[in-house]
Amino acid sequence: MTTEITRTVRVHADDVEANTRRGGDIRTTLSPRTTGCTSGFGGVLSLAPGEHVTEHYHPYSEEFLHIVTGRLEMTMDGQAVQLGPGDSLLVPIGVRHRLVNTGTEPAHAAFHLSPLAPRPDLGHVDTEKVARAEQPNPSVGGAS
């Protein structure tokens, strides 16, 4: 059986605006807004040495993180987990997490969150002051 692809399914990271609200360079490449997908969203993130993503949690979504390059530390509910290239990590629903580049080189990772929150504004709960409060949350689209 052949399935006909009827919508855009390929998105390059350079074609998506960077979001730096919580720190780093986060680009949501695959989302309801960019591809019309309905089960989650994902993309890529870059962190310079010493840079971090502020602590938050997802009340409806699991987060999947895969480290491509660099050394990162993910603190989940107060417990630090060291990560390096090739490591993947699951952040369960409701777990507070904060990501820091602990290495000496830029770090790059891919992420995916699923399922989607009932509304985009319910997807993240910040538990630490965000790095750039003037920036909006990443625009993933979906039900409003």
Side-chain angles (χ1 to χ4, degrees):
M1 174 196 276
T2 302
T3 301
E4 182 180 347
I5 298 173
T6 59
R7 63 179 185 237
T8 301
V9 294
R10 179 189 172 274
V11 179
H12 194 281
D14 290 342
D15 295 336
V16 178
E17 183 178 346
N19 187 285
T20 60
R21 177 179 173 80
R22 290 181 181 83
D25 178 317
I26 300 172
R27 295 173 190 251
T28 303
T29 53
L30 301 174
S31 70
R33 183 181 58 80
T34 60
T35 67
C37 62
T38 60
S39 64
F41 68 93
V44 294
L45 90 95
S46 299
L47 288 174
E51 196 169 26
H52 69 277
V53 174
T54 55
E55 187 183 83
H56 61 282
Y57 69 92
H58 310 284
Y60 297 94
S61 306
E62 295 177 312
E63 182 170 348
F64 304 86
L65 183 70
H66 179 78
I67 312 311
V68 178
T69 62
R71 292 276 173 213
L72 297 168
E73 179 180 277
M74 178 72 85
T75 302
M76 300 191 319
D77 280 346
Q79 182 175 358
V81 178
Q82 303 302 315
L83 301 165
D87 285 334
S88 293
L89 181 72
L90 168 66
V91 179
I93 293 171
V95 171
R96 294 180 348 264
H97 54 286
R98 184 180 201 267
L99 188 63
V100 180
N101 181 341
T102 56
T104 59
E105 63 184 64
H108 303 281
F111 65 89
H112 178 78
L113 284 87
S114 181
L116 291 170
R119 296 189 327 250
D121 60 307
L122 299 176
H124 285 80
V125 177
D126 294 308
T127 54
E128 175 180 22
K129 183 179 176 187
V130 296
R132 294 172 189 86
E134 73 281 359
Q135 268 213 346
N137 279 313
S139 175
V140 300
S144 296

